[in-house]
């Protein structure tokens, strides 16, 4: 049993807090990433920057086979136990950065508007601190840093990373995700599902078209598209348990070119989100059937492309308790909030199909700030004190991770 472990959270003082110089370096590193956002599977500059900094710390990072993303092991592995993995995602979003700050994105229509630059920086900072603790003989078991590309690209870069072997030798995995509803310096925790399943849906409708003066002789495709958009969610609401939270939300409808011409082709695209695994597994068949029924009622031929995304992130109770103990040891129980299940999707869920793990909500809101800085918005930003909180959480979890593997 690790001598640092205590079942009374906060009853021990843990090493591994940040020095002033490292704190400033990490803020600068995050700002550099924020200025140079890269989309999924294009994170070459980000990967190179991480590799160089980890190597400068005397570590041996390994770039993933596709050339973006990397892993880095720290410490000596206990042969009887799997490693604790700490995961970050690297990619940005294809939207413009509209903030007026010195570290605004320098790349047109690219922005770190989901906080992946923060995730990456906190895991890097944790790695640098843990490397120093390992040199002092204070790291109880080896830790693997996973810097994963393409989280925003369905079905998520995690699947490719797992195929590349990033979980080989790993017994547990943890991560954070920025939450603009939680104050910087705090985290949100939840046992069980903390995110939702998210799939992508593409629908095409076809018919003969014709003149708007004679809709009875054609397939009125505009009306058919409108009815699919409205009626399919309503049909599904009566075919699945309401507690599953299965939801179809449309993001695009496109059809027609002239006011007096009934078009021959229409397109709809959107997302399917679901709170639980059983309903997520049934969702493709249910959605296909509902679309076909509504389209047929309006004499339209439907073609459905259902793109599997990610299942829900389901937090393991033991690993969630590890995160709770870690944050309590660092900042006390007042730094932890209960959080609700989000309808957002996260490909961290793929790791949890293989090993137990948990994700925490990392608070990024400046205390007292009443502005709403939502994720995936061009003005998204963070209170950079969240970086230190994330590093402290990860390093404490690594030091307290001494419970025998189940």
């Amino acid at each position: 049993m690790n001598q640092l472990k205590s079942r009374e959270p906060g009853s021990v003082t843990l090493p591994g807090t940040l020095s002033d110089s490292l704190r400033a370096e990490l803020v600068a590193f995050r700002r550099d990433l924020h200025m140079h956002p890269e989309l999924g599977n294009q994170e070459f500059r980000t990967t190179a920057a991480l590799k160089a900094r980890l190597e400068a710390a005397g570590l041996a990072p390994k770039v993933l086979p596709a050339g973006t993303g990397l892993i880095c092991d720290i410490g000596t592995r206990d042969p009887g136990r799997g490693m604790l993995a700490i995961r970050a995602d690297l990619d940005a979003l294809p939207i413009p950065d509209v903030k007026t700050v010195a570290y605004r994105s320098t790349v047109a229509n690219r922005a770190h508007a989901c906080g992946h630059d923060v995730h990456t920086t906190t895991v890097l900072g944790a790695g640098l601190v843990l490397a120093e603790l390992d040199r002092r003989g204070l790291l109880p078991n080896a830790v693997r840093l996973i810097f994963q590309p393409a989280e925003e690209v369905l079905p998520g870069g995690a699947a490719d990373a797992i195929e590349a072997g990033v979980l080989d030798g790993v017994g547990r995995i943890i991560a954070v995700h920025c939450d603009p509803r939680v104050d910087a310096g705090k985290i949100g925790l939840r046992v069980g599902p903390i995110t939702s399943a998210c799939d992508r849906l593409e629908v095409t409708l076809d018919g003969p078209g014709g003149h708007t003066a004679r809709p009875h002789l054609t397939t009125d495709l505009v009306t058919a598209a409108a009815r699919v958009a409205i009626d399919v969610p309503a049909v599904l609401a009566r075919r699945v348990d309401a507690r599953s939270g299965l939801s179809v939300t449309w993001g695009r409808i496109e059809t027609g070119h002239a006011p007096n011409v009934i078009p021959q082709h229409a397109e709809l695209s959107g997302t399917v989100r679901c709170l639980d695994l059983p309903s997520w597994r049934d969702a493709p068949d249910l959605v296909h059937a509902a679309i076909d029924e509504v389209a047929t009622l309006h004499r339209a031929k439907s073609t459905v492309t259902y793109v599997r995304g990610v299942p829900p992130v389901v937090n393991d109770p033991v690993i969630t308790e590890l995160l709770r103990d870690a944050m309590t040891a660092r900042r006390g129980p007042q730094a932890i909030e209960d959080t609700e299940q989000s309808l957002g999707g996260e490909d961290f869920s793929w790791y949890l199909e293989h090993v137990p793990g948990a994700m925490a909500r990392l608070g990024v809101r400046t205390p007292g700030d009443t502005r709403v800085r939502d994720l995936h918005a061009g003005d998204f930003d963070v209170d950079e004190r969240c970086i230190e909180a994330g590093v402290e959480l990860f390093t404490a979890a690594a030091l307290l991770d001494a419970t025998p593997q189940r």
Side-chain angles (χ1 to χ4, degrees):
M1 179 67 71
N2 175 16
Q3 63 180 349
L4 295 172
K5 180 66 176 174
S6 170
R7 293 315 302 166
E8 295 296 327
S11 64
V12 294
T13 300
L14 297 176
T17 54
L18 272 67
S19 64
D20 290 343
S21 60
L22 181 55
R23 188 182 300 111
E25 178 189 352
L26 293 176
V27 169
F29 191 91
R30 179 258 167 174
R31 292 186 176 190
D32 179 72
L33 294 185
H34 200 84
M35 293 174 67
H36 301 92
E38 298 173 298
L39 298 184
N41 295 316
Q42 301 173 22
E43 311 95 332
F44 297 103
R45 183 185 185 277
T46 304
T47 298
L50 289 165
K51 183 173 183 290
R53 185 61 185 92
L54 292 166
E55 288 177 338
L59 299 169
K62 299 177 182 177
V63 176
L64 298 182
T68 62
L70 67 159
I71 62 172
C72 184
D73 292 351
I74 304 169
T76 302
R77 180 182 169 189
D78 180 342
R81 302 186 61 231
M83 289 180 283
L84 175 71
I86 309 175
R87 173 266 197 174
D89 38 10
L90 306 179
D91 55 328
L93 288 162
I95 63 175
D97 188 343
V98 300
K99 300 188 300 298
T100 54
V101 294
Y103 50 87
R104 178 179 173 175
S105 171
T106 61
V107 185
N109 298 313
R110 302 286 185 270
H112 268 296
C114 196
H116 294 190
D117 53 337
V118 173
H119 305 165
T120 298
T121 303
T122 58
V123 176
L124 171 64
L128 298 177
V129 172
L130 292 173
E132 175 59 28
L133 293 177
D134 183 53
R135 284 188 283 270
R136 293 164 54 191
L138 295 175
L139 188 61
N141 190 24
V143 172
R144 173 168 293 167
L145 312 181
I146 299 176
F147 297 95
Q148 173 217 304
E151 191 276 331
E152 298 285 354
V153 181
L154 290 180
D160 292 332
I162 293 166
E163 187 175 350
V166 301
L167 291 181
D168 293 349
V170 168
R172 300 154 303 287
I173 189 167
I174 57 176
V176 295
H177 197 293
C178 290
D179 191 334
R181 303 165 302 170
V182 178
D183 285 349
K186 296 184 177 182
I187 62 169
L189 289 177
R190 175 185 174 89
V191 174
I194 193 171
T195 70
S196 300
C198 179
D199 300 334
R200 189 173 75 243
L201 185 60
E202 304 285 344
V203 180
T204 63
L205 301 175
D206 293 286
H211 201 293
T212 56
R214 292 174 289 278
H216 58 291
L217 300 180
T218 71
T219 293
D220 186 352
L221 216 58
V222 174
T223 297
R227 296 319 309 180
V228 167
I230 295 169
D231 292 347
V232 166
V235 168
L236 291 169
R238 292 296 179 267
R239 295 188 180 174
V240 296
D241 190 326
R243 291 170 295 182
S244 73
L246 194 151
S247 170
V248 173
T249 305
W250 305 104
R252 183 181 71 94
I253 302 177
E254 185 174 341
T255 187
H257 301 284
N260 63 340
V261 177
I262 295 175
Q264 296 178 309
H265 183 76
E267 297 179 359
L268 302 89
S269 58
T271 58
V272 181
R273 299 179 187 271
C274 193
L275 295 177
D276 63 45
L277 278 170
S279 296
W280 178 69
R281 294 189 177 106
D282 293 339
D285 290 341
L286 290 168
V287 171
H288 269 270
I291 291 170
D292 289 344
E293 287 177 23
V294 175
T296 299
L297 183 63
H298 294 275
R299 298 187 295 177
K301 180 181 183 300
S302 61
T303 303
V304 179
T305 301
Y306 195 106
V307 181
R308 269 304 199 191
V310 294
V313 172
V314 182
N315 280 349
D316 178 84
V318 174
I319 311 303
T320 304
E321 188 65 18
L322 172 64
L323 293 175
R324 184 177 299 277
D325 284 359
M327 198 61 171
T328 302
R330 289 295 193 203
R331 301 196 172 206
Q334 69 276 7
I336 303 167
E337 298 181 0
D338 292 332
T339 193
E340 61 189 13
Q341 183 178 6
S342 164
L343 277 171
E346 233 289 353
D347 77 350
F348 184 70
S349 55
W350 291 124
Y351 298 107
L352 306 187
E353 298 283 302
H354 301 271
V355 295
M359 170 174 280
R361 304 283 187 197
L362 181 67
V364 299
R365 180 180 62 193
T366 299
D369 190 349
T370 59
R371 291 173 295 175
V372 178
R373 293 184 181 271
D374 202 6
L375 299 171
H376 289 213
D379 65 345
F380 176 75
D381 205 356
V382 304
D383 183 324
E384 290 172 320
R385 288 174 291 184
C386 68
I387 296 171
E388 182 173 14
V391 173
E392 289 184 353
L393 173 69
F394 286 143
T395 54
L399 291 170
L400 295 175
D401 178 42
T403 303
Q405 187 175 357
R406 294 173 299 168

